[in-house]
């Protein structure tokens, strides 16, 4: 690799070009360009989006770095994600909430995610299944 190619790689990488584009421009293999960039600390510039002030973890406020062509991250870690959702249960979009009347006691109840529920509690189920007797 000549010094002219090296300076051209630095220039193109700083402008945001990818390894494949640079390899075609300097007539080298993509892997050669990639390893050169990694050795010289110019790797990953194109893959990282610009960080803005709105792109922070809602739980801890840590700045999130988003990668291109991937789903945007909302939380910095699983611990932050779980803590935030546990603190904000009203934000959950529950689409599968069903309303029923218990077939044993006759009380109305709601169930999330189960469209074939019959009883409001385990106690009502046992009473209906075993006619109020003790389980053997």
């Amino acid at each position: 690799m000549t010094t002219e190619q090296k300076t051209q790689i630095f220039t193109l990488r700083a402008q945001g070009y990818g390894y494949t584009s640079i390899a075609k421009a300097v007539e080298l293999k993509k892997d050669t360009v990639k390893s050169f960039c990694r050795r010289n600390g110019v790797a990953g510039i194109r893959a990282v989006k610009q960080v803005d002030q709105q792109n922070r973890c809602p739980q801890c406020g840590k700045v999130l770095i988003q990668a291109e062509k991937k789903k945007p991250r909302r939380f910095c870690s699983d611990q932050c994600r779980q803590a935030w959702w546990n603190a904000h249960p009203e934000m959950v979009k529950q689409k599968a909430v069903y309303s029923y009347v218990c077939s044993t006691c006759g009380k109305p109840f709601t169930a999330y995610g189960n469209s074939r529920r019959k009883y409001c509690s385990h106690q009502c189920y046992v009473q209906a299944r075993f006619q109020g007797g003790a389980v053997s």
Side-chain angles (χ1 to χ4, degrees):
M1 182 182 311
T2 64
T3 53
E4 184 181 318
Q5 288 175 324
K6 290 178 184 179
T7 54
Q8 203 173 5
I9 290 171
F10 278 118
T11 306
L12 292 172
R13 195 67 180 152
Q15 293 174 359
Y17 285 93
Y19 299 129
T20 306
S21 303
I22 296 170
K24 287 178 184 176
V26 296
E27 298 175 352
L28 293 171
K29 291 184 178 181
K30 176 187 164 192
D31 292 330
T32 305
V33 173
K34 189 176 186 178
S35 61
F36 175 79
C37 289
R38 287 186 178 173
R39 278 195 310 269
N40 292 291
V42 290
I45 296 170
R46 184 172 182 235
V48 178
K49 289 183 180 177
Q50 294 292 337
V51 177
D52 57 17
Q53 295 297 337
Q54 302 298 323
N55 201 6
R56 294 184 176 270
C57 176
Q59 180 65 21
C60 67
K62 185 177 178 181
V63 175
L64 299 175
I65 298 173
Q66 304 292 344
E68 279 188 26
K69 299 182 182 178
K70 290 194 176 184
K71 182 179 175 184
R73 293 179 67 190
R74 184 167 175 190
F75 300 97
C76 64
S77 65
D78 283 340
Q79 291 82 11
C80 280
R81 179 181 53 80
Q82 289 173 351
W84 192 87
W85 282 111
N86 287 337
H88 300 88
E90 72 281 355
M91 299 289 286
V92 177
K93 296 176 186 167
Q94 294 184 342
K95 297 178 183 175
V97 178
Y98 303 99
S99 298
Y100 300 105
V101 176
C102 180
S103 61
T104 302
C105 67
K107 292 182 185 176
F109 68 97
T110 59
Y112 177 71
N114 188 349
S115 62
R116 293 181 278 149
R117 197 155 158 190
K118 296 179 184 178
Y119 308 104
C120 64
S121 65
H122 183 70
Q123 186 177 16
C124 284
Y125 163 74
V126 170
Q127 185 176 355
R129 176 75 169 90
F130 303 102
Q131 287 78 29
V135 179
S136 50

